[in-house]
């Protein structure tokens, strides 16, 4: 248990964890877990990010990282790409 507490204490104001910048301590949530107010590199501020999620890298951004990974090719609005994606979905999920 002491190892877990020491891991939590590694979160300090001004630290970067993934795309999160720790702004201030938000106290504890209703279950007693330490939370911090963090700002993502894209500018979004999230008031309660769990400390253990930051340390264990369970959260790396507000969701912008996933959106960038999904649409990295830039074709998500292209008509042909949408049709291919719809056909792939239909093949994998028969009605």
């Amino acid at each position: 248990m002491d190892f877990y507490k020491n891991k939590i204490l590694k979160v300090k104001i001004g630290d970067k964890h993934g795309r999160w910048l720790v702004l201030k301590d938000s106290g504890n949530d209703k279950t007693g877990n330490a939370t911090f107010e963090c700002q993502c590199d894209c500018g979004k501020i999230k008031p309660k990010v769990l400390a253990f999620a930051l340390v264990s890298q369970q959260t790396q951004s507000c969701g912008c990282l996933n959106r960038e990974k999904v649409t990295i090719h830039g074709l998500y609005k292209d008509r042909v790409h949408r049709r291919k994606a719809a056909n792939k979905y239909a093949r994998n999920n028969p009605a």
Side-chain angles (χ1 to χ4, degrees):
M1 189 67 173
D2 289 330
F3 174 74
Y4 182 73
K5 286 183 180 177
N6 288 339
K7 227 177 164 180
I8 294 287
L9 294 176
K10 289 184 180 179
V11 178
K12 293 183 177 56
I13 308 303
D15 283 355
K16 288 278 287 185
H17 294 273
R19 290 187 172 192
W20 289 119
L21 173 65
V22 180
L23 299 177
K24 67 179 183 178
D25 188 358
S26 294
N28 295 336
D29 65 359
K30 61 184 176 184
T31 59
N33 296 317
T35 60
F36 291 89
E37 182 174 310
C38 297
Q39 181 176 11
C40 187
D41 285 348
C42 70
K44 184 175 181 177
I45 295 177
K46 189 169 179 184
K48 292 196 180 267
V49 179
L50 294 171
F52 69 81
L54 290 171
V55 172
S56 65
Q57 296 181 347
Q58 289 179 355
T59 179
Q60 300 220 345
S61 72
C62 64
C64 63
L65 179 62
N66 190 37
R67 286 189 295 273
E68 286 177 13
K69 284 182 180 178
V70 169
T71 60
I72 195 131
H73 49 69
L75 297 176
Y76 67 99
K77 289 184 178 178
D78 185 56
R79 182 177 59 85
V80 174
H81 176 72
R82 286 195 321 259
R83 172 129 345 163
K84 284 182 179 181
N87 287 338
K88 183 178 178 182
Y89 179 81
R91 275 194 315 270
N92 293 332
N93 300 303

